Amino acid sequence: RILSRELNPGDRLPAERDLSVQFGVSRAAVREAIRALKERGLIDVVVGRGTFIATLSPDHVVDSMSLLLRGQRHTLEQVHEARQLLEIPIARLAARHRTPAHLHRLREIVGWMERMGEATQLFIDADSNFHLELAQATGNPVLVVLSQTMLQMLRDERVFIVEVHGEIPDAVVSHKRILRAVERGDGDEAARAMTGHLSHLAAVIGALRASGRGAP
């Protein structure tokens, strides 16, 4: 009922006893279902007021996917390989479907990145926002969730690379190149610019591995 929008954000759920009658189950089963829905971010339980349908957010999906993938055996190179498969098509689609609002936001973010200097954590936040805005510009919410998951998984490694290898100047240049292609609506050039950006990062990762200073 929640996913079909029969129940909408802000709607209050009936009492446990009423749900028990509606679905023909015990009140214990209803309580277990309520607990499961709360954990998934689908409902909010407000003490003294009741249980309400929550506003659906991709954050719960991203957190769950990140935890699942962090529990698997994989290398940084494998995650980066997956990022290439995801972000290069995103750049192409973003160039084709971006709106003036997306372009304004992307320009703002690149401006912040240029002014960051050596503020590593803030730079990574701006970098993440740039890639998420590209995903938003595709108009595909599935790509937004997947991109957000990938960026969250890579955050520690990206901070390490920027801090150890001094990647901020090169990253600014790469993001400006991607932005120019997206501004022109040139999907193929945007894909090439993203390919160059990610290939450079792959080379940095390889160099750090070879030097024995691999990311955590």
Side-chain angles (χ1 to χ4, degrees):
R1 289 181 180 181
I2 294 171
L3 296 179
S4 68
R5 302 295 183 177
E6 182 181 339
L7 294 171
N8 295 300
D11 288 351
R12 183 175 178 174
L13 284 183
E16 278 185 9
R17 60 179 177 276
D18 296 328
L19 289 172
S20 176
V21 172
Q22 284 183 35
F23 292 106
V25 297
S26 68
R27 292 181 66 173
V30 170
R31 283 193 292 272
E32 178 63 20
I34 294 295
R35 185 190 64 78
L37 291 175
K38 184 176 184 297
E39 288 180 352
R40 296 180 186 184
L42 293 174
I43 61 172
D44 292 321
V45 178
V46 182
V47 177
R49 291 185 56 204
T51 302
F52 299 86
I53 307 303
T55 300
L56 292 177
S57 166
D59 292 343
H60 293 90
V61 178
V62 170
D63 288 343
S64 297
M65 289 178 64
S66 297
L67 285 173
L68 173 65
L69 292 173
R70 284 182 183 276
Q72 306 298 314
R73 290 184 179 274
H74 57 69
T75 65
L76 178 57
E77 287 83 1
Q78 288 172 327
V79 179
H80 190 76
E81 183 179 67
R83 187 182 179 192
Q84 290 177 306
L85 292 173
L86 179 66
E87 295 218 46
I88 294 170
I90 281 178
R92 179 179 283 109
L93 287 172
R96 294 174 180 172
H97 300 297
R98 84 289 186 275
T99 66
H102 292 128
L103 291 176
H104 175 72
R105 177 68 175 157
L106 288 168
R107 292 178 187 126
E108 276 192 333
I109 295 169
V110 170
W112 294 340
M113 293 171 76
E114 287 185 291
R115 295 190 295 271
M116 290 290 177
E118 297 302 317
T120 304
Q121 299 285 346
L122 292 175
F123 184 87
I124 293 300
D125 288 340
D127 188 324
S128 296
N129 288 337
F130 181 90
H131 289 275
L132 285 176
E133 191 65 29
L134 281 180
Q136 293 279 3
T138 68
N140 187 327
V142 177
L143 292 176
V144 175
V145 171
L146 293 175
S147 180
Q148 192 172 351
T149 301
M150 189 72 64
L151 292 168
Q152 182 168 312
M153 286 182 63
L154 284 168
R155 179 175 175 79
D156 290 344
E157 287 81 0
R158 292 164 74 217
V159 169
F160 177 83
I161 289 169
V162 169
E163 286 181 338
V164 171
H165 208 261
E167 283 297 301
I168 287 181
D170 286 338
V172 171
V173 171
S174 294
H175 286 77
K176 290 174 74 172
R177 187 176 297 123
I178 295 166
L179 173 59
R180 286 195 296 269
V182 173
E183 286 176 325
R184 293 195 301 269
D186 189 336
D188 291 339
E189 179 56 31
R192 282 192 291 271
M194 182 64 78
T195 299
H197 173 53
L198 296 179
S199 295
H200 173 70
L201 289 179
V204 171
I205 291 170
L208 289 172
R209 291 286 196 216
S211 68
R213 294 190 299 169

